[in-house]
Amino acid sequence: MAETSNDLRWVLRDATGEDHRRLDALVADLDLGTEAGLVPFLRANALAYGALLPADPALHGHVSRRLALIDTDLAALGAGRPASMDALAAPAQAAALGFRYVIAGSALGGTVLARIHAGGGNARVLAAGRFLGDTELMALWRAVIVELGAYGGPHAPVIEGARQCFRLFERCFEAALCEEATLVR
């Protein structure tokens, strides 16, 4: 069967399902209504976004803005960014679309995480909600859906790009959780 552009979103969802579940499991272990959960969540995202910053010019403005939101939230919690991960090399155009699919797709799960964050009731934690409350992420998601629909190339490099992005976030969450465990001791 020939690959068609209008099914790429669903192909990506199916092909990266296990990658997505592994990352979701790491995030699910964090209580975003508490400082103990929110700080490593923000630090993991800072690591990933910092590594992504130079990788895709189409995401540069978005990634820079998201990093500024993270910095503001971490400052509200009296915390800072962790040591950075190595920057990613710029992916090929098709792989970059896979990265954008993962980044923008986080808008969907982000609404659930924002509700968990808001339900915590801790004023200090609630003051650190800019990253989770970022409404511009949904606009990026809509733009990526259009981009996926217009894409006419092979699916394999887009899928590989999405998998690489999920792996990057997984490594960043593992690193941030490990750093937090070290700080707690």
Side-chain angles (χ1 to χ4, degrees), residues 38 42 69 73 76 114 117 124-134:
L38 186 57
L42 292 169
L69 295 172
D73 287 343
H117 171 260
R124 187 170 151 111
V125 169
L126 292 173
R130 288 162 192 81
F131 179 77
L132 283 168
D134 182 14

Side-chain angles (χ1 to χ4, degrees), residues 131-145:
F131 179 77
L132 283 168
D134 182 14
T135 58
E136 290 187 37
L137 196 54
M138 193 54 80
L140 179 64
W141 174 242
R142 288 189 292 272
V144 168
I145 292 302

Side-chain angles (χ1 to χ4, degrees), residues 3-177:
E3 295 178 330
T4 59
S5 61
N6 62 355
D7 69 354
L8 182 53
R9 175 183 175 187
W10 309 111
V11 169
L12 279 164
R13 187 190 67 168
D14 292 342
T16 63
E18 186 56 37
D19 302 284
H20 197 162
R21 281 186 284 282
R22 277 194 314 272
L23 180 57
D24 281 352
L26 289 170
V27 174
D29 285 342
L30 299 172
D31 181 355
L32 301 182
T34 67
E35 275 187 62
L38 186 57
V39 169
F41 173 82
L42 292 169
R43 285 183 168 161
N45 277 282
L47 287 171
Y49 276 94
L52 287 168
L53 186 60
D56 183 358
L59 280 176
H60 185 78
H62 171 75
V63 169
S64 295
R65 186 181 53 75
R66 298 279 285 169
L67 279 167
L69 295 172
I70 290 169
D71 287 341
T72 302
D73 287 343
L74 285 170
L77 295 168
R81 267 198 225 178
S84 61
M85 300 280 281
D86 291 337
L88 294 179
Q93 187 174 356
L97 178 55
F99 275 76
R100 289 191 294 279
Y101 164 80
V102 173
I103 300 298
S106 69
L108 305 174
T111 58
V112 173
L113 297 178
R115 281 195 298 267
I116 293 168
H117 171 260
N122 177 315
R124 187 170 151 111
V125 169
L126 292 173
R130 288 162 192 81
F131 179 77
L132 283 168
D134 182 14
T135 58
E136 290 187 37
L137 196 54
M138 193 54 80
L140 179 64
W141 174 242
R142 288 189 292 272
V144 168
I145 292 302
V146 170
E147 191 177 4
L148 290 170
Y151 179 76
H155 293 174
V158 182
I159 292 167
E160 183 52 32
R163 285 186 173 146
Q164 288 174 355
C165 192
F166 274 117
R167 286 191 299 268
L168 168 68
F169 273 89
E170 190 175 344
R171 284 191 319 270
C172 291
F173 269 88
E174 289 168 349
L177 293 171

